[in-house]
Amino acid sequence: QILRYVPTYSFGIRQQLLGLYGCKTGKEIANPKDLVGVPWCGPDVVVSDRHTTNYLDEMANATFCGVFPGNGWGHIESPLLLGCIPVVVQDGILTAWEDVLDFDSFALRLPRAKLPRLAEELRAVPPERVAALQAGGRRVWERFTFSSLGLAEKRRMCGGTHFTAAADGCVPRLGAPGGKHSQAFLASSAITGQDAIATLLQLLRARLLERTSPERG
């Protein structure tokens, strides 16, 4: 509803994207209202004007996922958590940790002017660059979670009715509360707790040390 009736939503970026790629012909459509219910323009480009119950699975199976303004300043965490390379299109607006982490090692940023050639730009990314970006995402994804809270909850519930003993501590039992993604998250032995909270505290400490450095006079 917002895409079709609030032209200023998302600065018009999502509407423009729907007009460019939300059709099987690939031709730009001036009025996104004409594209209601037409979810994609080709087998390798998915753009929809509606919610889908397969959202997480579709993102997990994609190579690139768009990050646009609207419902917040770009949700880069969703692609990263699902192994998809974020493609940020929001000129002049930073996403979370973009000026803190090595952003270019795990995500792409394209100017809005390149939206009409977005598909071509992404298809032209070399396979080795794709692999490097995916590897970068695997290194930083936990920085976009609150995993330390999940670990604390896991420790609290370990030994309870929803968890069972395992070599690395405990894992959720079959039928435990939460979906398959949250259960897999809690069961993973790769979780370190170096999450968004830890990143913020590390950033604040670094800035405090910088301010109190004798070199600053």
Side-chain angles (χ1 to χ4, degrees):
Q1 297 294 326
I2 291 178
L3 282 180
R4 297 192 293 274
Y5 298 113
V6 185
T8 57
Y9 175 77
S10 188
F11 301 115
I13 292 176
R14 293 173 184 253
Q15 294 90 329
Q16 182 181 358
L17 201 66
L18 186 63
L20 288 166
Y21 300 105
C23 60
K24 293 184 179 180
T25 65
K27 297 179 181 178
E28 184 169 1
I29 303 298
N31 188 353
K33 294 180 183 179
D34 298 334
L35 299 173
V36 177
V38 183
W40 61 76
C41 184
D44 60 346
V45 179
V46 178
V47 177
S48 179
D49 67 337
R50 62 181 63 188
H51 291 287
T52 169
T53 56
N54 298 320
Y55 174 73
L56 295 179
D57 291 326
E58 289 175 354
M59 187 173 287
N61 290 321
T63 301
F64 298 103
C65 295
V67 177
F68 315 113
N71 191 27
W73 299 123
H75 289 280
I76 194 173
E77 67 278 3
S78 297
L80 284 170
L81 266 59
L82 292 167
C84 189
I85 299 170
V87 179
V88 180
V89 182
Q90 47 183 36
D91 299 351
I93 302 172
L94 297 178
T95 62
W97 305 138
E98 185 169 348
D99 57 345
V100 175
L101 302 177
D102 184 8
F103 182 82
D104 292 336
S105 71
F106 60 85
L108 299 175
R109 172 178 277 277
L110 294 176
R112 181 175 182 176
K114 288 191 175 182
L115 271 185
R117 289 188 48 80
L118 179 62
E120 289 81 358
E121 291 277 343
L122 297 181
R123 292 188 186 111
V125 178
E128 57 271 20
R129 173 66 171 148
V130 171
L133 289 166
Q134 291 171 331
R138 290 192 292 270
R139 289 192 296 270
V140 303
W141 68 268
E142 196 175 352
R143 298 284 183 177
F144 296 83
T145 74
F146 294 101
S147 61
S148 60
L149 303 182
L151 288 175
E153 181 67 2
K154 180 178 178 179
R155 288 192 292 269
R156 186 184 72 82
M157 297 181 67
C158 200
T161 57
H162 296 306
F163 284 78
T164 185
D168 62 341
C170 56
V171 297
R173 294 181 185 274
L174 184 66
K180 62 179 181 179
H181 295 287
S182 61
Q183 290 181 21
F185 179 85
L186 287 175
S188 174
S189 60
I191 306 303
T192 66
Q194 292 297 309
D195 60 357
I197 298 173
T199 304
L200 177 60
L201 292 175
Q202 291 162 9
L203 174 62
L204 292 175
R205 182 174 184 275
R207 289 184 175 177
L208 178 62
L209 291 174
E210 181 182 358
R211 290 182 61 183
T212 57
S213 172
E215 297 180 0
R216 288 178 60 92

Short mmCIF file of all heavy atoms in Angstrom, two decimals, residues 58-116:
data_model
loop_
_atom_site.label_atom_id
_atom_site.label_comp_id
_atom_site.label_asym_id
_atom_site.label_seq_id
_atom_site.Cartn_x
_atom_site.Cartn_y
_atom_site.Cartn_z
N GLU A 58 14.00 -16.98 0.71
CA GLU A 58 14.36 -16.36 -0.56
C GLU A 58 15.64 -15.54 -0.42
O GLU A 58 16.50 -15.56 -1.30
CB GLU A 58 13.21 -15.48 -1.04
CG GLU A 58 11.99 -16.27 -1.51
CD GLU A 58 10.82 -15.38 -1.88
OE1 GLU A 58 10.93 -14.15 -1.66
OE2 GLU A 58 9.81 -15.89 -2.37
N MET A 59 15.76 -14.83 0.70
CA MET A 59 16.97 -14.04 0.92
C MET A 59 18.18 -14.94 1.14
O MET A 59 19.28 -14.65 0.64
CB MET A 59 16.77 -13.11 2.12
CG MET A 59 17.90 -12.13 2.32
SD MET A 59 17.56 -10.90 3.60
CE MET A 59 16.36 -9.86 2.75
N ALA A 60 17.99 -16.03 1.86
CA ALA A 60 19.10 -16.96 2.13
C ALA A 60 19.59 -17.62 0.85
O ALA A 60 20.76 -18.03 0.77
CB ALA A 60 18.66 -18.01 3.14
N ASN A 61 18.73 -17.75 -0.16
CA ASN A 61 19.11 -18.40 -1.42
C ASN A 61 19.58 -17.40 -2.48
O ASN A 61 19.93 -17.80 -3.59
CB ASN A 61 17.92 -19.20 -1.97
CG ASN A 61 17.63 -20.43 -1.12
OD1 ASN A 61 18.55 -21.09 -0.64
ND2 ASN A 61 16.35 -20.73 -0.93
N ALA A 62 19.58 -16.11 -2.15
CA ALA A 62 19.97 -15.08 -3.11
C ALA A 62 21.47 -14.77 -2.97
O ALA A 62 22.07 -14.99 -1.91
CB ALA A 62 19.16 -13.81 -2.88
N THR A 63 22.07 -14.24 -4.03
CA THR A 63 23.46 -13.82 -3.99
C THR A 63 23.57 -12.38 -3.50
O THR A 63 24.40 -12.07 -2.64
CB THR A 63 24.11 -13.93 -5.39
OG1 THR A 63 24.03 -15.29 -5.83
CG2 THR A 63 25.58 -13.51 -5.33
N PHE A 64 22.72 -11.49 -4.04
CA PHE A 64 22.72 -10.08 -3.66
C PHE A 64 21.33 -9.72 -3.13
O PHE A 64 20.32 -10.18 -3.65
CB PHE A 64 23.04 -9.19 -4.86
CG PHE A 64 24.40 -9.42 -5.45
CD1 PHE A 64 24.53 -10.13 -6.63
CD2 PHE A 64 25.53 -8.91 -4.85
CE1 PHE A 64 25.78 -10.35 -7.20
CE2 PHE A 64 26.79 -9.12 -5.41
CZ PHE A 64 26.92 -9.84 -6.58
N CYS A 65 21.30 -8.87 -2.11
CA CYS A 65 20.03 -8.40 -1.54
C CYS A 65 20.08 -6.89 -1.38
O CYS A 65 21.06 -6.34 -0.85
CB CYS A 65 19.78 -9.06 -0.18
SG CYS A 65 19.55 -10.85 -0.26
N GLY A 66 19.02 -6.23 -1.81
CA GLY A 66 18.97 -4.78 -1.75
C GLY A 66 18.79 -4.25 -0.34
O GLY A 66 18.09 -4.86 0.48
N VAL A 67 19.43 -3.13 -0.07
CA VAL A 67 19.27 -2.42 1.20
C VAL A 67 18.89 -0.99 0.84
O VAL A 67 19.71 -0.22 0.32
CB VAL A 67 20.58 -2.44 2.02
CG1 VAL A 67 20.41 -1.63 3.31
CG2 VAL A 67 20.99 -3.87 2.34
N PHE A 68 17.62 -0.64 1.10
CA PHE A 68 17.08 0.65 0.70
C PHE A 68 16.44 1.34 1.89
O PHE A 68 16.01 0.67 2.84
CB PHE A 68 16.03 0.48 -0.40
CG PHE A 68 16.43 -0.47 -1.48
CD1 PHE A 68 15.77 -1.68 -1.65
CD2 PHE A 68 17.48 -0.16 -2.34
CE1 PHE A 68 16.14 -2.57 -2.64
CE2 PHE A 68 17.86 -1.04 -3.34
CZ PHE A 68 17.19 -2.25 -3.50
N PRO A 69 16.32 2.67 1.85
CA PRO A 69 15.58 3.35 2.92
C PRO A 69 14.10 2.96 2.87
O PRO A 69 13.59 2.56 1.84
CB PRO A 69 15.78 4.83 2.60
CG PRO A 69 16.08 4.87 1.14
CD PRO A 69 16.81 3.61 0.84
N GLY A 70 13.47 3.10 4.01
CA GLY A 70 12.07 2.69 4.14
C GLY A 70 11.99 1.70 5.28
O GLY A 70 12.75 0.72 5.30
N ASN A 71 11.11 1.95 6.25
CA ASN A 71 11.03 1.13 7.46
C ASN A 71 12.39 1.17 8.17
O ASN A 71 12.88 0.16 8.67
CB ASN A 71 10.64 -0.31 7.14
CG ASN A 71 10.30 -1.09 8.40
OD1 ASN A 71 9.88 -0.51 9.40
ND2 ASN A 71 10.48 -2.41 8.36
N GLY A 72 13.00 2.35 8.20
CA GLY A 72 14.33 2.50 8.79
C GLY A 72 15.34 2.85 7.71
O GLY A 72 15.02 2.88 6.53
N TRP A 73 16.57 3.11 8.12
CA TRP A 73 17.60 3.52 7.17
C TRP A 73 18.36 2.31 6.64
O TRP A 73 19.56 2.18 6.82
CB TRP A 73 18.56 4.51 7.82
CG TRP A 73 17.92 5.77 8.28
CD1 TRP A 73 17.92 6.29 9.53
CD2 TRP A 73 17.19 6.69 7.47
NE1 TRP A 73 17.24 7.48 9.56
CE2 TRP A 73 16.77 7.74 8.30
CE3 TRP A 73 16.83 6.72 6.12
CZ2 TRP A 73 16.02 8.81 7.83
CZ3 TRP A 73 16.08 7.79 5.65
CH2 TRP A 73 15.69 8.82 6.51
N GLY A 74 17.67 1.41 5.98
CA GLY A 74 18.33 0.28 5.35
C GLY A 74 18.65 -0.82 6.33
O GLY A 74 19.44 -0.64 7.24
N HIS A 75 18.00 -1.95 6.18
CA HIS A 75 18.22 -3.08 7.08
C HIS A 75 19.31 -3.99 6.53
O HIS A 75 19.04 -5.02 5.92
CB HIS A 75 16.91 -3.84 7.30
CG HIS A 75 15.93 -3.08 8.13
ND1 HIS A 75 16.01 -3.04 9.51
CD2 HIS A 75 14.88 -2.31 7.80
CE1 HIS A 75 15.04 -2.28 9.99
NE2 HIS A 75 14.33 -1.83 8.97
N ILE A 76 20.55 -3.63 6.78
CA ILE A 76 21.66 -4.40 6.26
C ILE A 76 21.85 -5.70 7.04
O ILE A 76 22.46 -6.65 6.55
CB ILE A 76 22.96 -3.57 6.30
CG1 ILE A 76 24.06 -4.23 5.46
CG2 ILE A 76 23.41 -3.33 7.74
CD1 ILE A 76 25.31 -3.37 5.31
N GLU A 77 21.30 -5.76 8.26
CA GLU A 77 21.53 -6.94 9.09
C GLU A 77 20.84 -8.18 8.53
O GLU A 77 21.37 -9.29 8.64
CB GLU A 77 21.08 -6.69 10.53
CG GLU A 77 19.60 -6.51 10.74
CD GLU A 77 19.10 -5.11 10.44
OE1 GLU A 77 19.91 -4.27 10.00
OE2 GLU A 77 17.91 -4.86 10.65
N SER A 78 19.69 -8.03 7.92
CA SER A 78 18.96 -9.20 7.41
C SER A 78 19.75 -9.96 6.35
O SER A 78 19.93 -11.18 6.45
CB SER A 78 17.59 -8.79 6.87
OG SER A 78 16.79 -8.25 7.90
N PRO A 79 20.25 -9.29 5.30
CA PRO A 79 21.08 -10.01 4.33
C PRO A 79 22.30 -10.67 4.95
O PRO A 79 22.62 -11.82 4.65
CB PRO A 79 21.48 -8.93 3.32
CG PRO A 79 20.45 -7.87 3.47
CD PRO A 79 20.05 -7.89 4.89
N LEU A 80 23.00 -9.95 5.82
CA LEU A 80 24.22 -10.49 6.40
C LEU A 80 23.95 -11.73 7.23
O LEU A 80 24.70 -12.71 7.19
CB LEU A 80 24.91 -9.43 7.27
CG LEU A 80 25.66 -8.34 6.50
CD1 LEU A 80 26.10 -7.22 7.43
CD2 LEU A 80 26.87 -8.92 5.78
N LEU A 81 22.87 -11.73 7.99
CA LEU A 81 22.55 -12.88 8.82
C LEU A 81 22.15 -14.09 7.99
O LEU A 81 22.25 -15.23 8.45
CB LEU A 81 21.42 -12.54 9.80
CG LEU A 81 21.86 -12.06 11.19
CD1 LEU A 81 22.73 -10.82 11.09
CD2 LEU A 81 20.65 -11.81 12.07
N LEU A 82 21.73 -13.85 6.75
CA LEU A 82 21.26 -14.95 5.90
C LEU A 82 22.24 -15.27 4.78
O LEU A 82 21.92 -16.02 3.87
CB LEU A 82 19.89 -14.59 5.33
CG LEU A 82 18.78 -14.55 6.38
CD1 LEU A 82 17.53 -13.89 5.83
CD2 LEU A 82 18.46 -15.94 6.89
N GLY A 83 23.44 -14.72 4.85
CA GLY A 83 24.48 -15.07 3.90
C GLY A 83 24.35 -14.42 2.53
O GLY A 83 24.93 -14.91 1.55
N CYS A 84 23.60 -13.32 2.46
CA CYS A 84 23.40 -12.62 1.20
C CYS A 84 24.23 -11.34 1.20
O CYS A 84 24.36 -10.68 2.24
CB CYS A 84 21.91 -12.28 1.02
SG CYS A 84 21.48 -11.66 -0.60
N ILE A 85 24.80 -10.99 0.07
CA ILE A 85 25.64 -9.80 -0.03
C ILE A 85 24.76 -8.55 -0.07
O ILE A 85 23.94 -8.41 -1.00
CB ILE A 85 26.52 -9.86 -1.28
CG1 ILE A 85 27.46 -11.07 -1.23
CG2 ILE A 85 27.33 -8.57 -1.43
CD1 ILE A 85 28.19 -11.32 -2.53
N PRO A 86 24.88 -7.64 0.89
CA PRO A 86 24.06 -6.43 0.87
C PRO A 86 24.48 -5.49 -0.26
O PRO A 86 25.66 -5.28 -0.49
CB PRO A 86 24.34 -5.78 2.24
CG PRO A 86 25.00 -6.85 3.06
CD PRO A 86 25.72 -7.72 2.08
N VAL A 87 23.48 -4.92 -0.94
CA VAL A 87 23.72 -3.91 -1.97
C VAL A 87 22.97 -2.65 -1.52
O VAL A 87 21.75 -2.58 -1.58
CB VAL A 87 23.22 -4.36 -3.35
CG1 VAL A 87 23.47 -3.28 -4.39
CG2 VAL A 87 23.89 -5.67 -3.75
N VAL A 88 23.72 -1.68 -1.04
CA VAL A 88 23.12 -0.48 -0.44
C VAL A 88 22.91 0.58 -1.51
O VAL A 88 23.83 0.94 -2.24
CB VAL A 88 24.03 0.07 0.68
CG1 VAL A 88 23.41 1.32 1.29
CG2 VAL A 88 24.27 -0.99 1.74
N VAL A 89 21.67 1.07 -1.60
CA VAL A 89 21.34 2.18 -2.50
C VAL A 89 20.57 3.21 -1.69
O VAL A 89 19.35 3.13 -1.54
CB VAL A 89 20.49 1.71 -3.70
CG1 VAL A 89 20.22 2.88 -4.65
CG2 VAL A 89 21.19 0.58 -4.46
N GLN A 90 21.28 4.14 -1.10
CA GLN A 90 20.67 5.24 -0.35
C GLN A 90 21.74 6.33 -0.22
O GLN A 90 22.49 6.37 0.75
CB GLN A 90 20.13 4.78 1.01
CG GLN A 90 21.06 3.91 1.84
CD GLN A 90 20.38 3.45 3.12
OE1 GLN A 90 19.18 3.17 3.15
NE2 GLN A 90 21.14 3.37 4.19
N ASP A 91 21.79 7.17 -1.22
CA ASP A 91 22.84 8.19 -1.31
C ASP A 91 22.87 9.08 -0.07
O ASP A 91 21.85 9.61 0.36
CB ASP A 91 22.61 9.06 -2.54
CG ASP A 91 22.67 8.27 -3.85
OD1 ASP A 91 23.06 7.08 -3.80
OD2 ASP A 91 22.34 8.85 -4.90
N GLY A 92 24.06 9.23 0.50
CA GLY A 92 24.24 10.14 1.62
C GLY A 92 23.78 9.62 2.95
O GLY A 92 23.80 10.36 3.94
N ILE A 93 23.35 8.37 3.02
CA ILE A 93 22.86 7.78 4.28
C ILE A 93 23.67 6.53 4.58
O ILE A 93 23.70 5.59 3.78
CB ILE A 93 21.37 7.42 4.20
CG1 ILE A 93 20.54 8.66 3.87
CG2 ILE A 93 20.89 6.81 5.51
CD1 ILE A 93 19.08 8.36 3.59
N LEU A 94 24.33 6.51 5.73
CA LEU A 94 25.12 5.35 6.11
C LEU A 94 24.23 4.27 6.74
O LEU A 94 23.23 4.57 7.38
CB LEU A 94 26.19 5.75 7.14
CG LEU A 94 27.26 6.75 6.67
CD1 LEU A 94 28.22 7.06 7.81
CD2 LEU A 94 28.02 6.21 5.47
N THR A 95 24.62 3.02 6.54
CA THR A 95 23.97 1.92 7.25
C THR A 95 24.73 1.66 8.54
O THR A 95 25.77 2.26 8.81
CB THR A 95 23.95 0.65 6.39
OG1 THR A 95 25.32 0.25 6.13
CG2 THR A 95 23.25 0.88 5.08
N ALA A 96 24.22 0.74 9.34
CA ALA A 96 24.86 0.42 10.61
C ALA A 96 26.30 -0.02 10.41
O ALA A 96 26.59 -0.87 9.56
CB ALA A 96 24.07 -0.68 11.32
N TRP A 97 27.21 0.57 11.18
CA TRP A 97 28.64 0.23 11.23
C TRP A 97 29.37 0.49 9.90
O TRP A 97 30.50 0.05 9.74
CB TRP A 97 28.86 -1.23 11.64
CG TRP A 97 28.24 -1.68 12.91
CD1 TRP A 97 27.60 -2.88 13.11
CD2 TRP A 97 28.20 -1.00 14.16
NE1 TRP A 97 27.16 -2.97 14.40
CE2 TRP A 97 27.50 -1.82 15.07
CE3 TRP A 97 28.67 0.24 14.60
CZ2 TRP A 97 27.27 -1.46 16.39
CZ3 TRP A 97 28.42 0.62 15.93
CH2 TRP A 97 27.74 -0.23 16.79
N GLU A 98 28.75 1.20 8.97
CA GLU A 98 29.40 1.40 7.67
C GLU A 98 30.69 2.19 7.79
O GLU A 98 31.64 1.96 7.03
CB GLU A 98 28.44 2.10 6.70
CG GLU A 98 28.99 2.24 5.30
CD GLU A 98 27.96 2.71 4.28
OE1 GLU A 98 26.76 2.72 4.60
OE2 GLU A 98 28.36 3.05 3.15
N ASP A 99 30.75 3.12 8.74
CA ASP A 99 31.96 3.92 8.93
C ASP A 99 32.83 3.38 10.06
O ASP A 99 33.76 4.05 10.52
CB ASP A 99 31.60 5.38 9.20
CG ASP A 99 30.69 5.55 10.40
OD1 ASP A 99 30.10 4.54 10.86
OD2 ASP A 99 30.55 6.69 10.90
N VAL A 100 32.53 2.15 10.50
CA VAL A 100 33.28 1.53 11.59
C VAL A 100 34.01 0.28 11.12
O VAL A 100 35.21 0.11 11.35
CB VAL A 100 32.35 1.18 12.78
CG1 VAL A 100 33.12 0.44 13.87
CG2 VAL A 100 31.70 2.44 13.34
N LEU A 101 33.29 -0.60 10.45
CA LEU A 101 33.86 -1.84 9.94
C LEU A 101 34.41 -1.63 8.52
O LEU A 101 34.19 -0.59 7.91
CB LEU A 101 32.80 -2.94 9.93
CG LEU A 101 32.16 -3.27 11.28
CD1 LEU A 101 31.07 -4.33 11.10
CD2 LEU A 101 33.20 -3.75 12.28
N ASP A 102 35.10 -2.62 8.02
CA ASP A 102 35.62 -2.58 6.64
C ASP A 102 34.46 -2.91 5.70
O ASP A 102 34.33 -4.03 5.22
CB ASP A 102 36.76 -3.58 6.49
CG ASP A 102 37.40 -3.52 5.10
OD1 ASP A 102 37.06 -2.61 4.33
OD2 ASP A 102 38.22 -4.40 4.80
N PHE A 103 33.64 -1.90 5.44
CA PHE A 103 32.39 -2.08 4.71
C PHE A 103 32.60 -2.72 3.35
O PHE A 103 31.84 -3.59 2.92
CB PHE A 103 31.69 -0.73 4.57
CG PHE A 103 30.36 -0.79 3.88
CD1 PHE A 103 29.21 -1.13 4.57
CD2 PHE A 103 30.25 -0.48 2.52
CE1 PHE A 103 27.99 -1.18 3.93
CE2 PHE A 103 29.03 -0.52 1.88
CZ PHE A 103 27.89 -0.88 2.59
N ASP A 104 33.62 -2.29 2.62
CA ASP A 104 33.85 -2.79 1.27
C ASP A 104 34.23 -4.26 1.23
O ASP A 104 34.26 -4.86 0.15
CB ASP A 104 34.94 -1.97 0.58
CG ASP A 104 34.50 -0.54 0.31
OD1 ASP A 104 33.28 -0.31 0.22
OD2 ASP A 104 35.38 0.33 0.18
N SER A 105 34.52 -4.85 2.39
CA SER A 105 34.90 -6.27 2.41
C SER A 105 33.69 -7.19 2.47
O SER A 105 33.85 -8.40 2.29
CB SER A 105 35.81 -6.55 3.61
OG SER A 105 35.10 -6.48 4.83
N PHE A 106 32.49 -6.65 2.72
CA PHE A 106 31.33 -7.52 2.84
C PHE A 106 30.06 -6.96 2.19
O PHE A 106 29.02 -7.64 2.18
CB PHE A 106 31.02 -7.83 4.32
CG PHE A 106 30.73 -6.61 5.17
CD1 PHE A 106 29.45 -6.08 5.22
CD2 PHE A 106 31.72 -6.02 5.92
CE1 PHE A 106 29.17 -4.98 6.01
CE2 PHE A 106 31.46 -4.91 6.71
CZ PHE A 106 30.18 -4.39 6.76
N ALA A 107 30.11 -5.77 1.62
CA ALA A 107 28.91 -5.18 1.04
C ALA A 107 29.28 -4.29 -0.15
O ALA A 107 30.43 -3.90 -0.32
CB ALA A 107 28.15 -4.36 2.08
N LEU A 108 28.27 -3.99 -0.96
CA LEU A 108 28.43 -3.08 -2.09
C LEU A 108 27.55 -1.86 -1.87
O LEU A 108 26.48 -1.96 -1.28
CB LEU A 108 28.01 -3.76 -3.40
CG LEU A 108 28.79 -5.00 -3.84
CD1 LEU A 108 28.15 -5.60 -5.08
CD2 LEU A 108 30.26 -4.65 -4.11
N ARG A 109 28.02 -0.74 -2.35
CA ARG A 109 27.20 0.48 -2.33
C ARG A 109 27.17 1.04 -3.74
O ARG A 109 28.22 1.23 -4.36
CB ARG A 109 27.76 1.52 -1.35
CG ARG A 109 27.05 2.87 -1.44
CD ARG A 109 27.58 3.85 -0.44
NE ARG A 109 26.97 3.68 0.87
CZ ARG A 109 25.79 4.18 1.24
NH1 ARG A 109 25.06 4.88 0.36
NH2 ARG A 109 25.32 4.00 2.45
N LEU A 110 25.97 1.28 -4.24
CA LEU A 110 25.80 1.84 -5.57
C LEU A 110 24.99 3.13 -5.49
O LEU A 110 24.06 3.23 -4.69
CB LEU A 110 25.07 0.84 -6.48
CG LEU A 110 25.81 -0.46 -6.82
CD1 LEU A 110 24.90 -1.37 -7.63
CD2 LEU A 110 27.09 -0.17 -7.56
N PRO A 111 25.33 4.12 -6.31
CA PRO A 111 24.53 5.35 -6.33
C PRO A 111 23.18 5.10 -6.96
O PRO A 111 23.02 4.22 -7.81
CB PRO A 111 25.39 6.30 -7.17
CG PRO A 111 26.19 5.41 -8.05
CD PRO A 111 26.47 4.18 -7.24
N ARG A 112 22.21 5.89 -6.57
CA ARG A 112 20.86 5.72 -7.11
C ARG A 112 20.85 5.88 -8.62
O ARG A 112 20.03 5.25 -9.31
CB ARG A 112 19.91 6.73 -6.46
CG ARG A 112 18.49 6.60 -6.95
CD ARG A 112 17.55 7.52 -6.22
NE ARG A 112 16.18 7.35 -6.66
CZ ARG A 112 15.13 7.98 -6.11
NH1 ARG A 112 15.32 8.82 -5.11
NH2 ARG A 112 13.92 7.76 -6.57
N ALA A 113 21.75 6.68 -9.15
CA ALA A 113 21.79 6.91 -10.60
C ALA A 113 22.01 5.61 -11.38
O ALA A 113 21.69 5.54 -12.57
CB ALA A 113 22.88 7.91 -10.93
N LYS A 114 22.53 4.59 -10.70
CA LYS A 114 22.80 3.32 -11.38
C LYS A 114 21.66 2.31 -11.25
O LYS A 114 21.77 1.19 -11.73
CB LYS A 114 24.09 2.70 -10.84
CG LYS A 114 25.35 3.42 -11.28
CD LYS A 114 26.60 2.62 -10.95
CE LYS A 114 27.85 3.29 -11.50
NZ LYS A 114 29.07 2.48 -11.23
N LEU A 115 20.55 2.72 -10.63
CA LEU A 115 19.42 1.79 -10.50
C LEU A 115 18.96 1.21 -11.83
O LEU A 115 18.66 0.01 -11.91
CB LEU A 115 18.24 2.48 -9.79
CG LEU A 115 18.20 2.40 -8.27
CD1 LEU A 115 16.90 3.01 -7.75
CD2 LEU A 115 18.32 0.97 -7.77
N PRO A 116 18.87 2.00 -12.90
CA PRO A 116 18.42 1.41 -14.17
C PRO A 116 19.33 0.31 -14.69
O PRO A 116 18.90 -0.51 -15.51
CB PRO A 116 18.41 2.62 -15.13
CG PRO A 116 18.21 3.80 -14.24
CD PRO A 116 18.98 3.47 -13.00
#
